[in-house]
Amino acid sequence: MMLNTQVSDEIIQSYEEMRLGKGKFKESKFIVLHMEEGSIQIDQNLTRLQNLDELVDKLPAKNSRFICYHLSFEMPSQTSGLREGKRTKMVFITWCPNEVNVKEKFKVAATCKTVKAKLNGMSMSYYAGCKGELDEKQLIEKCITFIK
Amino acid sequence: PSMIGRPKNSPNAVFQPQHEFKCHIGEELHQFPFRYDEFKPIISCGIVQDWDEMIILLEYCLKKVPKFDMQEGKYTRRVVLNEPLLNPIKNKQKWFEILFEYFEFHSLVPQVQPLAALYASGRTTGLVLDVGEDCTQILPVYDGYALSNVMNKMRSWGGRVGGGDLTKFVANLKYESGWEFSNSGREISKKIKERLAYVAPNYWKEVELNAESSQLSRTFELPDKTTITIDDLRFKCGEVLFRPSEFLGVDYVDGGIDDLLINTLLKSPIDCRNDFSNNIVLCGGTALMPGFKERLELEVQSRILPPHLPTPKVNVIQQVESSYLSWIGGAIIGSLGLTTHYIFSREGYMESGVDINRPYSLNLS
């Protein structure tokens, strides 16, 4: 099931800039998107923030957001068979707290796939329902099981 | 409840139904519950037993929809058919036949209940545990795709577990301890179940606690103002879900709900298991029973250990809307213009008959 939504070129362009590390979004760690009446927009206020902890504090408690997160981490040395070193992955995070009403939740779920299909190179998707579920450590943990 | 009752030939006009359908439907049954020869459920385990009665029920429901005119609406409306898992093909074809030929709706979107419930909880990945009135079903979904080879439905030789069985269980136990409710007992037993029953984290501890003290007992007022005391029934009722073979005396091949859940987790691919165990979405009225969520978390955590589950983290999601989650989901599918794989139109049906749903019967998502 997919809900048709407009994903503007601006979003795709800034996502590519972040992923490839050039242009205006070279330095940013994430892009925050929000849904508005059949189209997806960049949430400028939240995108401007510096790191994930700040973002988690500011995320709305009664509204949903999509976050494209540029995760970079050191491969732990214990993992056998895989070389150590720095890895970067693009993570698609769905922020949908329990307080959001059911119709909105349904829209989030149905839009999620449409947006993901538009953005190239997403290696992982993650669902966060409360602020405790969203921190870098958990993302890295999940990413490592995924790489194996 | 999806039930229809017909009054006996009584001269007393009070008991005669007021509307044109000549029978009492659903909640109306509870107003004069003692006047019926029989009332049997129309749908059992998600499968329609009596199609004539089903048509009456549907017509009755459609009459209750606000701003819906049967004559005008039927050619233009799209219907979402929210069906249970593993719905037999015969049953599906009959649904198509009724909705297109008898009701003449414009088009039809078939949809499985657990998937609708999962979307309504805002996720595209997760494991849905639907404990309904008369059947229990589990469906793992990854990124919107239902893993149809892993899905599970509770089976037994001649029975299944759901809220209705708990009600019957309560009624039987009360009967054993000297209380005989008449036909209306179903309603009373249901109330006892809804208000007082809970799931104990540890059954045997609860039994001991109950033998020592009376802190678990509660009183319940019957309609005729006498009160009865309910003690061990409270947690026994919840335990039925976890050990149905012992309590209901029917052989449940798959064991209780916890066994079913664990089996499904173990059958699904190991890469997905953590995603599923972190997103177990409950739906159905029985899943709202106090303590049910905690008990499930406990069972899964203690019985699947790290080699089988990469990180031992279990998260069960229970929502306020849980009891109608799959129906709300279905309603939203209808109201949003979703692109689903399968939309069947009436013209298509008229052209190729019931075989139109062949490709869809083989697939799920």
Side-chain angles (χ1 to χ4, degrees), chain B residues 330-349:
Chain B
I332 298 171
I333 293 174
S335 71
L336 296 174
L338 282 170
T339 39
T340 46
H341 295 281
Y342 301 107
I343 296 175
F344 296 103
S345 66
R346 187 158 167 270
E347 290 97 59
Y349 174 83

Side-chain angles (χ1 to χ4, degrees), chain B residues 129-137 154 160-167 170 186 190 193-194 197-199 237-242 257 282-294 296 318-325:
Chain B
L129 174 58
D130 181 345
V131 197
E133 165 77 12
D134 63 0
C135 79
T136 297
Q137 44 196 8
M154 203 157 213
R160 69 281 142 193
V161 163
D165 296 84
L166 299 195
T167 312
V170 172
R186 197 183 181 280
K190 200 176 160 198
K193 178 189 82 177
E194 280 166 3
Y198 68 99
V199 181
C237 182
E239 196 67 16
V240 172
L241 290 171
F242 292 87
I257 278 182
L282 294 184
C283 102
T286 315
L288 282 175
M289 199 183 271
F292 184 70
K293 176 186 163 203
E294 287 77 11
L296 268 188
Q318 196 177 34
Q319 284 171 291
V320 197
E321 309 90 1
S322 271
S323 51
Y324 299 116
L325 205 58

Side-chain angles (χ1 to χ4, degrees), chain B residues 44-79:
Chain B
S44 157
C45 207
I47 293 159
V48 180
Q49 305 291 324
D50 191 331
W51 289 97
D52 296 339
E53 307 273 52
M54 193 70 217
I55 290 177
I56 297 176
L57 183 70
L58 278 178
E59 278 183 334
Y60 176 77
C61 293
L62 284 173
K63 263 193 90 142
K64 294 230 160 176
V65 178
K67 290 185 209 154
F68 177 75
D69 181 19
M70 198 58 208
Q71 290 310 318
E72 215 179 284
K74 62 185 180 183
Y75 295 113
T76 52
R77 297 286 177 126
R78 173 181 295 174
V79 181

Side-chain angles (χ1 to χ4, degrees), chain A residues 1, chain B residues 111-112 115 141 144-148 340-342 360 363-365:
Chain A
M1 279 181 289
Chain B
Q111 183 58 48
V112 281
L115 200 62
V141 182
Y145 292 104
L147 306 184
S148 47
T340 46
H341 295 281
Y342 301 107
Y360 140 79
N363 265 306
L364 248 185
S365 59

Side-chain angles (χ1 to χ4, degrees), chain B residues 44-332:
Chain B
S44 157
C45 207
I47 293 159
V48 180
Q49 305 291 324
D50 191 331
W51 289 97
D52 296 339
E53 307 273 52
M54 193 70 217
I55 290 177
I56 297 176
L57 183 70
L58 278 178
E59 278 183 334
Y60 176 77
C61 293
L62 284 173
K63 263 193 90 142
K64 294 230 160 176
V65 178
K67 290 185 209 154
F68 177 75
D69 181 19
M70 198 58 208
Q71 290 310 318
E72 215 179 284
K74 62 185 180 183
Y75 295 113
T76 52
R77 297 286 177 126
R78 173 181 295 174
V79 181
V80 178
L81 177 60
N82 218 13
E83 52 178 14
L85 292 180
L86 299 169
N87 198 8
I89 290 181
K90 276 273 156 60
N91 205 36
K92 275 177 195 167
Q93 289 177 342
K94 191 79 187 172
W95 267 117
F96 273 66
E97 203 181 307
I98 283 182
L99 291 174
F100 282 138
E101 283 179 27
Y102 187 82
F103 287 102
E104 302 181 307
F105 282 116
H106 176 260
S107 57
L108 179 66
V109 181
Q111 183 58 48
V112 281
Q113 287 165 2
L115 200 62
L118 185 77
Y119 271 67
S121 79
R123 284 151 228 266
T124 45
T125 304
L127 185 82
V128 192
L129 174 58
D130 181 345
V131 197
E133 165 77 12
D134 63 0
C135 79
T136 297
Q137 44 196 8
I138 295 185
L139 180 72
V141 182
Y142 195 87
D143 209 12
Y145 292 104
L147 306 184
S148 47
N149 53 335
V150 202
M151 69 182 173
N152 233 325
K153 198 168 172 181
M154 203 157 213
R155 290 184 299 263
S156 73
W157 309 114
R160 69 281 142 193
V161 163
D165 296 84
L166 299 195
T167 312
K168 252 180 252 162
F169 178 74
V170 172
N172 288 350
L173 268 200
K174 286 325 288 173
Y175 187 75
E176 278 171 17
S177 53
W179 290 94
E180 194 190 342
F181 305 132
S182 59
N183 272 352
S184 62
R186 197 183 181 280
E187 192 53 20
I188 296 171
S189 312
K190 200 176 160 198
K191 275 200 181 121
I192 294 179
K193 178 189 82 177
E194 280 166 3
R195 285 197 201 148
L196 297 171
Y198 68 99
V199 181
N202 185 331
Y203 177 67
W204 295 111
K205 249 187 206 160
E206 219 76 1
V207 172
E208 274 172 34
L209 194 70
N210 186 48
E212 282 166 12
S213 66
S214 61
Q215 57 170 338
L216 291 177
S217 60
R218 298 277 186 280
T219 52
F220 182 84
E221 193 179 286
L222 297 177
D224 64 348
K225 301 283 184 261
T226 49
T227 54
I228 51 172
T229 317
I230 313 264
D231 41 18
D232 61 338
L233 187 65
R234 291 185 64 205
F235 53 85
K236 267 186 187 165
C237 182
E239 196 67 16
V240 172
L241 290 171
F242 292 87
R243 284 183 288 155
S245 317
E246 273 169 61
F247 284 93
L248 297 178
V250 193
D251 198 8
Y252 283 85
V253 272
D254 293 326
I257 278 182
D258 49 340
D259 299 318
L260 201 66
L261 182 63
I262 287 165
N263 275 341
T264 314
L265 269 178
L266 289 180
K267 265 202 257 168
S268 49
I270 194 157
D271 302 336
C272 311
R273 273 181 212 168
N274 252 350
D275 290 322
F276 292 155
S277 73
N278 283 338
N279 297 302
I280 299 175
V281 177
L282 294 184
C283 102
T286 315
L288 282 175
M289 199 183 271
F292 184 70
K293 176 186 163 203
E294 287 77 11
R295 172 73 180 268
L296 268 188
E297 280 178 358
L298 203 75
E299 292 277 349
V300 176
Q301 228 147 20
S302 60
R303 285 169 59 185
I304 308 192
L305 298 168
H308 301 298
L309 195 70
T311 42
K313 198 178 137 205
V314 181
N315 185 18
V316 179
I317 300 112
Q318 196 177 34
Q319 284 171 291
V320 197
E321 309 90 1
S322 271
S323 51
Y324 299 116
L325 205 58
S326 52
W327 304 113
I328 298 175
I332 298 171

Side-chain angles (χ1 to χ4, degrees), chain A residues 63-91:
Chain A
N63 242 318
S64 56
R65 291 284 184 276
F66 297 120
I67 307 163
C68 307
Y69 190 68
H70 198 163
L71 182 69
S72 57
F73 59 98
E74 292 286 333
M75 221 32 202
S77 51
Q78 303 95 304
T79 2
S80 56
L82 283 164
R83 271 185 295 145
E84 306 171 28
K86 207 166 178 222
R87 303 290 156 94
T88 55
K89 294 276 173 222
M90 301 307 291
V91 184

